[in-house]
Amino acid sequence: MGVYIGIAIIVLLVLWLIIIYNRLVMLKNRVRNNWSQVDVVLKNRFDLIPNLVETVAGYAAHEKETLSRVTEMRTKYASAGSIQEKAEANGEIAGLLGRLMVVAESYPDLKANENFLYLKQQLTAIEDKIRFARQFYNDTVEALNTAIMSFPNNLVAGMFGFREEPFFHIDEAEKSVPRIKF
């Protein structure tokens, strides 16, 4: 009888281990999927930027530094390897886009330009999608990190090398981006 109890305990422990491991794998994959959603929306923003820059450049030829910096940041984001590097590049580009809108504010003809208005509308829609995707990613990261840090999950997580994922933080520069009304 004692052998059967021992076998039952071992089976329960193995099942417990499998359940926790599978839950951690599921959460890890959700984090990866949600980051790819953030990445897709940010790529959409960066694909829109050259059109916006070209439209503004036609009106503000002497603003080459801001315009070239926006293009440079777009390239930096595309070559970033980690989530942290992409988040930093995103913060920089958000600040530069704010400056680009300030430059655009100085040109009344540009503000009335149909292309510019359309591009600005598209950028606003993409920014809303970025906020939503970033929040969804952070919610998923929170679920994974909580599972990894909670007992007894932390024992299984440690055995199989699960690590906490970074949150997608907004840096101070991005928080202070000026709002422009056209």
Side-chain angles (χ1 to χ4, degrees), residues 61-166:
H62 66 281
E63 300 287 353
K64 294 290 185 203
E65 181 184 338
T66 300
L67 301 175
S68 65
R69 188 87 172 108
V70 168
T71 304
E72 178 186 317
M73 285 298 98
R74 180 179 184 261
T75 304
K76 181 179 177 182
Y77 179 85
S79 65
S82 70
I83 290 174
Q84 186 61 34
E85 290 172 348
K86 289 188 179 225
E88 288 172 10
N90 174 65
E92 291 178 47
I93 197 71
L96 287 170
L97 283 173
R99 277 194 283 186
L100 185 64
M101 293 301 145
V102 169
V103 168
E105 179 69 14
S106 304
Y107 297 90
D109 292 342
L110 174 60
K111 292 190 302 186
N113 179 286
E114 205 171 292
N115 273 347
F116 179 75
L117 293 174
Y118 173 76
L119 292 170
K120 185 190 171 300
Q121 181 182 41
Q122 293 300 310
L123 186 60
T124 300
I126 287 173
E127 292 298 326
D128 288 341
K129 289 177 185 176
I130 290 170
R131 279 188 284 284
F132 176 76
R134 183 172 43 208
Q135 179 62 48
F136 197 63
Y137 169 79
N138 282 343
D139 290 346
T140 308
V141 167
E142 179 184 25
L144 174 66
N145 291 349
T146 300
I148 287 173
M149 296 183 319
S150 299
F151 181 80
N153 293 359
N154 60 348
L155 301 174
V156 177
M159 284 190 317
F160 291 102
F162 287 92
R163 301 284 177 251
E164 291 181 44
E165 292 290 325

Side-chain angles (χ1 to χ4, degrees), residues 21-35:
Y21 178 83
N22 286 341
R23 181 169 182 265
L24 292 172
V25 167
M26 177 196 63
L27 289 170
K28 180 76 171 173
N29 287 334
R30 281 186 185 167
V31 166
R32 287 182 183 152
N33 178 45
N34 289 339
W35 173 253

